[in-house]
Amino acid sequence: GESVGLHLPTLSVQEGDNSIINCAYSNSASDYFIWYKQESGKGPQFIIDIRSNMDKRQGQRVTVLLNKTVKHLSLQIAATQPGDSAVYFCADYSGTYKYIFGTGTRLKVLA
Amino acid sequence: DADVTQTPRNRITKTGKRIMLECSQTKGHDRMYWYRQDPGLGLRLIYYSFDVKDINKGEISDGYSVSRQAQAKFSLSLESAIPNQTALYFCATSDPGGGTIYFGEGSWLTVV
């Protein structure tokens, strides 16, 4: 069935280093992808998105890469800060109403 | 102020009781959703609505009902709560045709 998954449940990164969070999706018809950050006790916050006609998109300290050939999505966070500690998950959209959400990766930033 | 507001944020209720979770949004979107989040699982869709007259079941609608009172308001009801409905519930909204989906802060519901 359709699924969006994450390779690592927990990622520990030293403060100041770059973080890379990965995501695999299975629906080749998906044309829109989103990364969310969810802090404890809060709702998911939009970080960055990318459409299927793009391979890369950059935001402030974040970059999303899309590899449609292998159905893989990654989120890169530059110069990771303590405030980046949270659960990150990806989502893909394949039309009408259906968003498929991953289970999330917990990012821990070590001082 | 939050674009998507949920009330209550936390509720403990007893098995068999009726409980309503309310949601309002100020983004002017037509599409609204209710999701459930459980540990180790991705967000699962309970119900979605494309406009006031269009309400649809999601993948886990059993035991839930919804009401779209206005474009900006979408409530979720548990007619007779049971313990396995203990979860974190999110209301969300999106533009027509998909696009970014925006979430509320969540409603923690515990059924004892």
Side-chain angles (χ1 to χ4, degrees):
Chain A
E2 298 160 9
S3 66
V4 175
L6 290 166
H7 298 311
L8 298 173
T10 303
L11 177 65
S12 296
V13 176
Q14 206 67 36
E15 182 179 354
D17 287 351
N18 297 335
S19 302
I20 300 176
I21 300 171
N22 297 301
C23 179
Y25 66 96
S26 60
N27 186 359
S28 57
S30 294
D31 59 4
Y32 179 63
F33 304 85
I34 316 168
W35 278 102
Y36 288 93
K37 174 185 180 182
Q38 186 174 15
E39 296 176 277
S40 181
K42 295 188 176 182
Q45 297 174 275
F46 169 87
I47 302 173
I48 193 168
D49 58 0
I50 189 167
R51 296 218 172 260
S52 58
N53 60 353
M54 302 173 69
D55 297 324
K56 179 179 180 179
R57 191 165 188 221
Q58 288 183 292
Q60 188 172 15
R61 284 201 306 119
V62 294
T63 300
V64 55
L65 298 178
L66 175 62
N67 185 329
K68 295 180 287 293
T69 301
V70 295
K71 299 191 190 72
H72 185 267
L73 190 69
S74 68
L75 175 70
Q76 299 178 3
I77 304 173
T80 310
Q81 302 169 359
D84 295 327
S85 292
V87 173
Y88 292 80
F89 60 88
C90 60
D92 77 299
Y93 179 77
S94 55
T96 59
Y97 69 94
K98 198 166 188 177
Y99 294 84
I100 304 296
F101 298 91
T103 55
T105 291
R106 183 173 301 280
L107 177 64
K108 291 185 177 180
V109 181
L110 308 174
Chain B
D1 288 340
D3 294 323
V4 184
T5 302
Q6 294 181 227
T7 57
R9 295 292 315 279
N10 292 283
R11 177 65 62 89
I12 300 174
T13 192
K14 293 184 178 180
T15 297
K17 293 291 187 182
R18 184 178 188 274
I19 180 80
M20 178 183 287
L21 306 180
E22 298 184 339
C23 175
S24 62
Q25 53 106 351
T26 58
K27 296 195 72 69
H29 292 160
D30 288 325
R31 297 187 173 193
M32 296 188 74
Y33 310 78
W34 275 103
Y35 287 91
R36 168 176 172 161
Q37 188 176 49
D38 296 279
L41 298 176
L43 289 160
R44 293 183 292 165
L45 182 63
I46 306 172
Y47 269 94
Y48 64 101
S49 170
F50 282 0
D51 64 39
V52 174
K53 296 181 181 179
D54 183 8
I55 293 177
N56 305 278
K57 293 182 178 180
E59 58 186 296
I60 56 163
S61 60
D62 287 348
Y64 303 94
S65 62
V66 291
S67 174
R68 185 83 183 264
Q69 299 94 331
Q71 186 211 31
K73 297 185 182 294
F74 192 36
S75 61
L76 175 72
S77 293
L78 287 67
E79 298 300 327
S80 180
I82 56 177
N84 75 1
Q85 291 179 311
T86 293
L88 180 57
Y89 291 86
F90 286 104
C91 176
T93 180
S94 74
D95 282 326
T100 305
I101 184 167
Y102 298 93
F103 291 89
E105 289 294 287
S107 296
W108 281 101
L109 176 65
T110 301
V111 183
V112 297

